[in-house]
Amino acid sequence: MNVSPEIQRSDFAAIAQWVQRGAHVLDLGCGDGTLLRYLQQTRGVTGYGVEIDDRNILECVNNGVNVIQGDLEQGLSEFEENSFDFVILSQTLQAMRNTERIMREMLRVGRAGIVTFPNFGHWKNRLHVLRGRMPVSNSLPFEWFDTPNIHLCTIADFERFCASRGIGVVGRTVLSGGKPVTAWPNLLGELAVYYFVD
Amino acid sequence: MVKSTPDDTTGSVGNVKPQTAHFSVPLELRSGAVLRDYDLVYETYGTLNAERSNAVLVCHALNASHHVAGTYADEPGNVGWWDNMIGPGKPLDTDRFYVIGVNNIGGCHGSTGPGSINPATGKIWGGDFPIVTVEDWVDAQVQLADHLGIDCFAAVMGGSLGAMQALAWAFRHPQRLRHSIVIACTPNLSAQNIAFNEVARQAIVTDPDFHDGNYAAEGVAPRRGLRVARMVGHITYLSDDEMANKFGRQLKNGKLNYSFDTEFQIESYLRYQGNKFADQFDANTYLRITKVLDYFDPAAEHAGDLGLALKPVQAGVLVVSFTTDWRFSPERSREIVRALLDNRAQVTYAEIDAPHGHDAFLLDDTRYHRLIAAYFNRIHEEITP
C-alpha cells in the first residue's frame, strides 16, 4: 500500500460492505495483511493476499494471513478463472504499471472486483496544483520524485475508463476523512471505493 | 530463555543421544517388496507437552541423518545438520516444541538399510535391499509417531527431499499434522534432475569395487564412485554466482602447472567434499536415495493433476523457495502452490532472494529464518489453549 496508515484503514469498512459473509477473497498488494485479517474477523472470509515485499510477507505470517509472494505486474497466472468471489485491489491501482491488465486479471480470477484509490480530483490536490506544486497529503504522502504512484487518476477519470472498457461499476463509495461523501464526490472525496463486475 | 548447555553453546540443544525403535509390523513398500521388520533411529529435542500437541517432525534430505541438532558428548564437533534452525530460541524453538529427527529406512546411520542384516539370509542386505520411496519413508515415520504416542504433529518440516516427505505427510495422512513446511521442494524431478542422479548412480555402479552392491562381503567400498557422485551432486546444490563468489578462477597454488593435479580452488573444494562424503556415507544408500527422489511424483497417479493429488491436504502449508535455486527452482514450488490454491487450501508462499542456490535452505539467512520463526509462532499460538 502506498499511502499513510491512517488512510489505509478508512476504506476497510467501505470494502467490507460489499463482501458477503464467508466469501473467498483475493487481496492484491495486501501489505501486512491487515485488510484480509479485518475481513476474516468481520466477514468470516477465506482467501489469500498477494504481496511482493519480504517485510510484508513476514507481517502477513505474523498476522495469521495466508499470503502468496508474487509480482502483480506479472499477472495472476497462479490463479484459476473465477476462483474467487471478490478480488480486491486496495490503494494499489495507482502504483500499477499496467492498469487495464490488472483490472482484466481481477475479473478473470474473480466474479467481482473491488478497487480503492486516492482521488486526485480532491480539492486539496487541485489547490496544490493551482499553486504550481504536486500534491503531498495524507492520502498522497510522497514527493513527486519518490512516489510509487505512477497512475494517479480522479473519480471522473476512473469512471470514464471503466465505461470505455466495458467494466460494469455496480457500487461506489467516496470517503473523506473516513466519512462518506455524497455531494460533489470528485471534488470532496479523498478516497474512492468501487465495486465492479465484467 | 536461553538454556545453559554442556558445551556452553548458546542456542544449542546441547549433547543429544540417538535412540532406536524396533517395528515388527511388516512394511509394504511401493515396489511390492515387504520389510518384515525394521529399526528406525531417531533423536528428540525439547519436551512433549501434556496434550502431546507440540511435536514437530524434521525430515532429512539426500545426505542427512536423524542428527538434526546438537552435538554428541563423545563427538563435540559433530553438530546436527540443521542446528542453525533448531534449538532454544531458534526459529524452530525447542523451548516450545518437541522436535524429532529420524533416519529413514534404507539409510546408513542406524536405521534398517543396505548395511543391515537381511533376516531371510542372515547376511548383509547389500545390493538386495529393496528400492524405497518417499511414501514408504513417510509410512515408516507414521509407525514412529504411533510409537511415540503422537496422533497429530504440530508440523512436519523439511527441505528438498525432506520437503517431499513433509508434503507427502499432508496428502497421505492429512489428519496427522496441523502444518506442513515445504522448503526448496519440487512436485517431481525434471529430466535434468534425473539426469544428474543417473550420472551419480553410474559413477557408483561402474566403480570396480561396487560388486553389484555386495561390496561389504568383499571387504571393499566403491569410494571412488561415491566420491564422483557427491561431486556431481554438489555442483547442483550451489548457484553459478555462489561458485563464482566463493571460488571464481582462483588457483590452488598461485600458478598454473599444466597438469591434472588440482589447479583451481573449485576442483580442490569438490575433491574435498567428495572425499569427506565417501568416508561417512554408504554407496548403496546413496543409490537408493537418488531413486527416492526420481520416483517422487504425486500427480502421476492422478493423470498428472497435482491439484487432485493434493486434494486430501488439510494442513496449513508453508512453501518456501529460493530465487537462485536452479535444482528445484521457484517455478517448481509455484506448481505446488497453484495446486493448493485450486483446492482452497491454507497456503503461504515465500520466495527468498538468496544467492546460495539449492543449499540456501540449510544456511543462515535472516529473512528466511525470520519467516520460519514467525510461522512457528503462529503454530505455537494455535496449539496453546
Side-chain angles (χ1 to χ4, degrees):
Chain A
M1 297 194 194
N2 302 305
V3 292
S4 68
E6 312 87 76
I7 300 295
Q8 266 185 31
R9 269 146 237 267
S10 65
D11 61 345
F12 287 7
I15 292 169
Q17 67 179 325
W18 289 308
V19 176
Q20 284 117 8
R21 187 156 285 283
H24 196 52
V25 170
L26 184 64
D27 181 9
L28 304 176
C30 67
D32 63 6
T34 321
L35 171 62
L36 209 46
R37 191 157 89 149
Y38 172 83
L39 292 174
Q40 283 171 2
Q41 286 165 352
T42 59
R43 316 298 294 169
V45 304
T46 58
Y48 313 95
V50 178
E51 180 52 53
I52 192 167
D53 181 75
D54 289 334
R55 280 163 307 177
N56 279 331
I57 297 288
L58 185 64
E59 286 311 309
C60 284
V61 173
N62 284 329
N63 274 325
V65 164
N66 290 319
V67 63
I68 308 299
Q69 191 158 23
D71 181 1
L72 297 180
E73 300 287 4
Q74 307 292 322
L76 302 174
S77 58
E78 244 73 85
F79 303 97
E80 291 285 316
E81 275 175 37
N82 285 318
S83 47
F84 294 91
D85 299 312
F86 293 91
V87 181
I88 299 168
L89 186 68
S90 170
Q91 316 230 18
T92 304
L93 184 74
Q94 74 281 0
M96 295 292 302
R97 187 168 297 274
N98 197 332
T99 313
E100 185 174 357
R101 180 169 161 195
I102 193 66
M103 294 283 285
R104 292 263 169 248
E105 278 286 87
M106 288 174 77
L107 289 173
R108 179 182 68 80
V109 304
R111 277 182 276 282
I114 297 173
V115 66
T116 80
F117 59 87
N119 173 31
F120 200 75
H122 186 246
W123 64 269
K124 280 186 186 167
N125 295 336
R126 297 188 193 197
L127 216 55
H128 271 99
V129 175
L130 267 180
R131 288 193 191 122
R133 297 281 307 278
M134 284 299 283
V136 178
S137 65
N138 270 345
S139 58
L140 296 168
F142 298 97
E143 291 282 358
W144 67 272
F145 50 85
D146 66 0
T147 183
N149 299 328
I150 53 173
H151 280 148
L152 289 163
C153 68
T154 68
I155 285 172
D157 289 332
F158 185 76
E159 291 186 1
R160 273 186 73 168
F161 167 79
C162 289
S164 69
R165 298 298 190 277
I167 295 168
V169 172
V170 281
R172 181 187 79 182
T173 296
V174 177
L175 300 168
S176 180
K179 294 194 177 66
V181 173
T182 44
W184 300 307
N186 198 31
L187 187 65
L188 301 180
E190 275 180 307
L191 195 78
V193 186
Y194 280 87
Y195 172 23
F196 57 94
V197 295
D198 215 349
Chain B
M1 187 186 78
V2 177
K3 277 181 190 160
S4 73
T5 52
D7 59 348
D8 223 25
T9 311
T10 305
S12 167
V13 296
N15 286 330
V16 296
K17 275 196 185 127
Q19 301 172 70
T20 303
H22 181 76
F23 301 94
S24 45
V25 178
L27 186 69
E28 288 182 30
L29 306 174
R30 270 169 98 83
S31 67
V34 177
L35 271 185
R36 282 212 318 241
D37 59 349
Y38 57 96
D39 287 341
L40 288 178
V41 174
Y42 64 98
E43 288 177 8
T44 69
Y45 326 110
T47 312
L48 186 62
N49 64 14
E51 300 80 28
R52 312 181 89 76
S53 63
N54 68 334
V56 176
L57 178 66
V58 177
C59 304
H60 69 63
L62 209 151
N63 58 329
S65 71
H66 52 279
H67 186 38
V68 180
T71 49
Y72 295 136
D74 54 348
E75 282 181 87
N78 188 353
V79 180
W81 57 268
W82 221 352
D83 194 76
N84 62 14
M85 182 67 84
I86 297 153
K90 289 183 178 168
L92 173 45
D93 188 345
T94 49
D95 287 337
R96 289 173 162 184
F97 292 98
Y98 176 66
V99 179
I100 302 160
V102 58
N103 184 214
N104 287 311
I105 49 169
C108 56
H109 290 95
S111 293
T112 297
S116 310
I117 301 294
N118 178 354
T121 63
K123 290 186 194 150
I124 288 176
W125 276 100
D128 295 332
F129 194 83
I131 298 276
V132 286
T133 64
V134 166
E135 290 80 358
D136 299 333
W137 279 357
V138 166
D139 291 353
Q141 290 162 5
V142 169
Q143 299 301 313
L144 180 66
D146 290 346
H147 172 77
L148 296 171
I150 295 154
D151 289 336
C152 183
F153 283 105
V156 179
M157 174 187 193
S160 189
L161 174 55
M164 292 175 180
Q165 295 159 63
L167 190 62
W169 265 92
F171 65 78
R172 268 179 98 72
H173 307 283
Q175 312 279 350
R176 301 205 59 169
L177 69 166
R178 298 181 74 103
H179 291 272
S180 171
I181 302 180
V182 176
I183 305 165
C185 194
T186 179
N188 61 21
L189 263 63
S190 66
Q192 189 191 46
N193 294 147
I194 295 171
F196 277 114
N197 280 347
E198 177 57 7
V199 172
R201 282 191 293 266
Q202 285 301 316
I204 293 169
V205 302
T206 57
D207 186 317
D209 284 336
F210 183 62
H211 299 286
D212 287 333
N214 300 314
Y215 45 83
E218 308 286 331
V220 293
R223 284 190 80 259
R224 286 164 293 181
L226 188 54
R227 197 165 152 256
V228 174
R230 182 58 174 175
M231 288 166 81
V232 171
H234 227 92
I235 298 169
T236 69
Y237 305 150
L238 299 178
S239 68
D240 193 16
D241 282 352
E242 179 70 356
M243 256 195 207
N245 282 337
K246 246 179 162 165
F247 309 105
R249 292 182 55 87
Q250 282 171 56
L251 299 176
K252 179 87 187 339
N253 298 312
K255 65 175 185 62
L256 292 174
N257 293 310
Y258 298 95
S259 79
F260 290 106
D261 291 338
T262 49
E263 292 274 42
F264 294 95
Q265 284 291 3
I266 181 64
E267 295 172 302
S268 169
Y269 171 79
L270 285 179
R271 287 186 192 197
Y272 169 78
Q273 291 293 341
N275 281 331
K276 196 173 80 169
F277 191 70
D279 286 341
Q280 53 184 231
F281 213 82
D282 177 60
N284 277 322
T285 291
Y286 198 79
L287 284 176
R288 277 159 188 74
I289 296 187
T290 62
K291 292 302 269 186
V292 172
L293 281 160
D294 289 3
Y295 288 129
F296 184 70
D297 188 6
E301 288 161 54
H302 301 273
D305 187 339
L306 187 62
L308 216 53
L310 301 186
K311 204 107 208 164
V313 174
Q314 291 174 23
V317 186
L318 173 64
V319 180
V320 180
S321 72
F322 300 94
T323 48
T324 54
D325 183 351
W326 58 276
R327 193 169 198 266
F328 297 163
S329 68
E331 287 69 34
R332 303 307 317 268
S333 280
R334 283 179 177 274
E335 290 177 37
I336 297 170
V337 171
R338 206 173 296 135
L340 291 166
L341 288 171
D342 286 352
N343 292 336
R344 298 193 172 190
Q346 301 286 329
V347 53
T348 283
Y349 172 64
E351 203 166 291
I352 309 284
D353 189 8
H356 314 101
H358 188 61
D359 253 2
F361 86 88
L362 289 169
L363 303 176
D364 270 317
D365 179 288
T366 312
R367 276 162 302 177
Y368 166 46
H369 276 196
R370 275 195 190 143
L371 178 80
I372 302 293
Y375 200 79
F376 272 111
N377 270 336
R378 190 161 136 185
I379 298 174
H380 184 251
E381 276 171 32
E382 244 179 63
I383 61 171
T384 306

